């Protein structure tokens, strides 16, 4: 699949549910309204959609959410998509998770063909963890991460950089990830969906974080890439890798290779734009014929925009797009 700007689209992210057992302050409000269950695609329908994308050339597929591991029977989906890993049609199947349910799923994920996972940890301080996630418990997540490591999964930690909240903990996170052998990626807060507060005060440009880290750590630019937008450095003191995802300070759209599918079958061609394609209609209207679905995918890729227009500053404190990250899938 080649978009109008010549970019080859080979990476699909799928939000398998918009629901979550946490309520991270930068992601959701405490009293989120979730999609009615009857609007959500079945696991079989999600598998059919993913398979269609793999036939169209998708080589990397990430299941995310919401919290993917809270969706009932989600391992059925991992196992069925995993068949494409076994045939070689799919290069990589990955997961982004908050880690709360990881301990009981780690072995099954490995057996399904998953080799790398991203786990979100914004702080290693248990009290602060509860403050940021509202409903999360750090020990449970750390148990999950341990289980993942033991199961043979390569773990990358995602940390959203939050001014005045976790900016005093970056060194600790770098040390911990270095000693555990985990890559670490810092992410800027993106203006997606209403939350209870205002993101402006929490927004911390990663250019600032990098300058802060450079005072303590020797960071060498690395050409390591994972298919995502992170740009990496190697930290000489720990030997670990640290990535920076900077949608706001440095826009990475020119090399974008991905599209995002929601659990209702809506395809977003850009995380930061509202244009979308409804794939549920052709999927359901033609249960035994993929041709209309494949045509709808082609038509959507033909509309992939050049880039996003995220801005966070005092004049633009509201969301740039109305939907939450948990809907489109981070
Ligand atoms: N629940 C899983 C988790 O937290 O890892 C997967 C979905 S979550 C939406 C994916 C990633 O997006 C997480 O690393 C989370 O921290 C990040 N995220 C959520 N809302 C965000 C926002 N408004 N700006 C930047 N990152 C965000
Ligand atoms: Fe849930 Fe992930 Fe959003 Fe936190 S960031 S509320 S864990 S979907």
């Amino acid at each position: 699949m080649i978009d109008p700007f010549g970019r080859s689209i080979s990476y699909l992210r799928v939000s398998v549910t918009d629901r979550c057992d946490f309520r991270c302050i930068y992601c959701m409000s405490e009293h989120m309204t979730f999609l009615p269950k009857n609007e959500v695609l079945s696991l079989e329908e999600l598998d059919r959609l993913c398979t269609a994308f793999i036939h169209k050339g998708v080589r990397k597929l990430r299941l995310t959410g919401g919290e993917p591991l809270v969706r009932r029977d989600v391992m059925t989906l991992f196992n069925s998509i995993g068949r494409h890993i076994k045939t070689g049609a799919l290069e990589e199947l990955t997961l982004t998770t908050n880690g709360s349910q990881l301990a009981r799923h780690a072995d099954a994920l490995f057996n399904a063909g998953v080799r790398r996972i991203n786990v979100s940890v914004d702080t290693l301080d248990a009290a602060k963890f509860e403050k940021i996630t509202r409903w999360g418990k750090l020990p449970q997540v750390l148990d999950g991460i341990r289980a993942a490591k033991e199961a043979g999964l390569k773990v990358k930690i995602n940390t959203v950089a939050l001014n005045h909240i976790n900016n005093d903990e970056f060194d600790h996170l770098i040390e911990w990830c270095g000693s555990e052998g985990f890559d670490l990626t810092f992410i800027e807060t993106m203006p997606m969906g209403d939350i209870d507060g205002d993101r402006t005060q929490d927004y911390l440009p990663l250019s600032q974080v990098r300058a802060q880290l450079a005072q303590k750590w020797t960071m060498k630019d690395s050409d390591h890439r994972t298919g995502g937008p992170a740009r990496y450095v190697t930290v000489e003191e720990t030997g670990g890798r640290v990535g920076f995802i900077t949608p706001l300070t440095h826009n990475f759209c020119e090399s974008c290779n991905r599209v995002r599918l929601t659990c209702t079958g809506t395809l977003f061609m850009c995380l930061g734009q509202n244009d979308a394609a409804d794939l549920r209609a052709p999927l359901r209207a033609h249960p035994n014929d993929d041709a209309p679905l494949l045509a709808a995918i082609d038509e959507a890729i033909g509309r992939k925009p050049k880039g996003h227009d995220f801005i966070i500053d005092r004049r633009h404190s509201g969301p740039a797009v109305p939907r939450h990250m948990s809907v489109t899938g981070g």
Side-chain angles (χ1 to χ4, degrees):
M1 295 182 282
I2 307 287
D3 82 357
F5 302 94
R7 296 169 297 193
S8 168
I9 309 304
S10 56
Y11 187 174
L12 177 68
R13 293 197 178 193
V14 185
S15 174
V16 300
T17 176
D18 64 327
R19 289 167 196 255
C20 189
D21 53 347
F22 290 6
R23 292 288 183 279
C24 302
I25 49 172
Y26 49 79
C27 180
M28 294 185 184
S29 78
E30 186 152 19
H31 306 285
M32 271 290 278
T33 311
F34 293 111
L35 291 162
K37 286 206 168 134
N38 59 6
E39 283 197 24
V40 174
L41 297 182
S42 68
L43 294 174
E44 293 73 21
E45 287 173 321
L46 280 172
D47 177 61
R48 194 177 148 210
L49 267 177
C50 291
T51 301
F53 274 96
I54 293 166
H55 287 151
K56 299 258 11 145
V58 159
R59 305 284 293 150
K60 292 188 180 208
L61 204 147
R62 176 178 296 278
L63 299 189
T64 174
E67 175 45 42
L69 298 183
V70 301
R71 174 135 187 197
R72 188 182 303 178
D73 293 332
V74 73
M75 289 316 302
T76 316
L77 184 63
F78 277 98
N79 284 322
S80 60
I81 298 175
R83 76 188 183 278
H84 299 298
I85 295 274
K86 294 189 176 113
T87 64
L90 186 65
E91 223 168 81
E92 192 173 47
L93 174 60
T94 56
L95 158 76
T96 303
T97 177
N98 65 23
S100 69
Q101 313 299 314
L102 199 48
R104 63 191 172 97
H105 288 304
D107 286 326
L109 286 166
F110 188 90
N111 292 336
V114 176
R115 293 293 175 268
R116 289 198 305 134
I117 62 170
N118 290 359
V119 187
S120 303
V121 179
D122 299 323
T123 169
L124 291 169
D125 175 304
K128 212 184 267 186
F129 191 86
E130 286 187 31
K131 218 170 128 195
I132 295 176
T133 62
R134 292 198 186 99
W135 297 0
K137 300 270 179 267
L138 182 64
Q140 196 178 334
V141 171
L142 295 180
D143 278 351
I145 293 174
R146 203 169 307 122
K149 197 176 164 182
E150 280 167 19
L153 296 167
K154 193 159 170 37
V155 174
K156 180 163 80 78
I157 302 296
N158 279 347
T159 299
V160 176
L162 300 162
N163 207 11
H164 311 304
I165 300 180
N166 64 356
N167 50 332
D168 54 345
E169 283 196 70
F170 299 156
D171 293 334
H172 188 191
L173 281 157
I174 290 179
E175 278 159 17
W176 176 66
C177 287
S179 66
E180 293 284 342
F182 304 151
D183 285 352
L184 167 65
T185 299
F186 291 108
I187 309 174
E188 286 172 345
T189 45
M190 295 173 230
M192 300 188 62
D194 270 326
I195 52 173
D196 292 331
D198 170 3
R199 284 189 182 88
T200 332
Q201 300 136 16
D202 298 345
Y203 170 61
L204 180 58
L206 288 187
S207 47
Q208 213 170 301
V209 173
R210 227 181 131 142
Q212 177 190 324
L213 297 179
Q215 293 178 5
K216 181 172 163 85
W217 306 99
T218 319
M219 301 186 296
K220 293 252 156 66
D221 281 336
S222 155
D223 52 13
H224 176 72
R225 294 280 183 277
T226 58
R231 293 294 169 263
Y232 286 88
V233 298
T234 306
V235 178
E236 228 168 64
E237 290 82 352
T238 66
R241 258 192 309 250
V242 174
F244 298 90
I245 300 186
T246 55
L248 288 109
T249 50
H250 172 80
N251 179 318
F252 40 67
C253 305
E254 66 281 358
S255 59
C256 183
N257 59 352
R258 71 206 75 110
V259 289
R260 297 163 196 262
L261 187 65
T262 72
C263 60
T264 57
T266 303
L267 186 73
F268 285 96
M269 287 71 85
C270 172
L271 182 64
Q273 300 282 359
N274 291 318
D275 190 29
D278 173 22
L279 300 183
R280 185 174 58 182
L283 180 86
R284 289 197 169 157
H286 305 275
N288 300 311
D289 176 13
D290 276 351
L293 173 62
L294 296 172
I297 293 174
D298 283 338
E299 189 276 331
I301 299 297
R303 280 193 277 135
K304 184 169 162 65
K306 193 166 180 203
H308 65 67
D309 307 309
F310 285 145
I311 307 176
I312 291 190
D313 63 24
R314 267 182 275 287
R315 283 167 302 134
H316 304 87
S317 57
V321 290
R323 59 187 192 280
H324 293 85
M325 186 76 127
S326 49
V327 171
T328 329

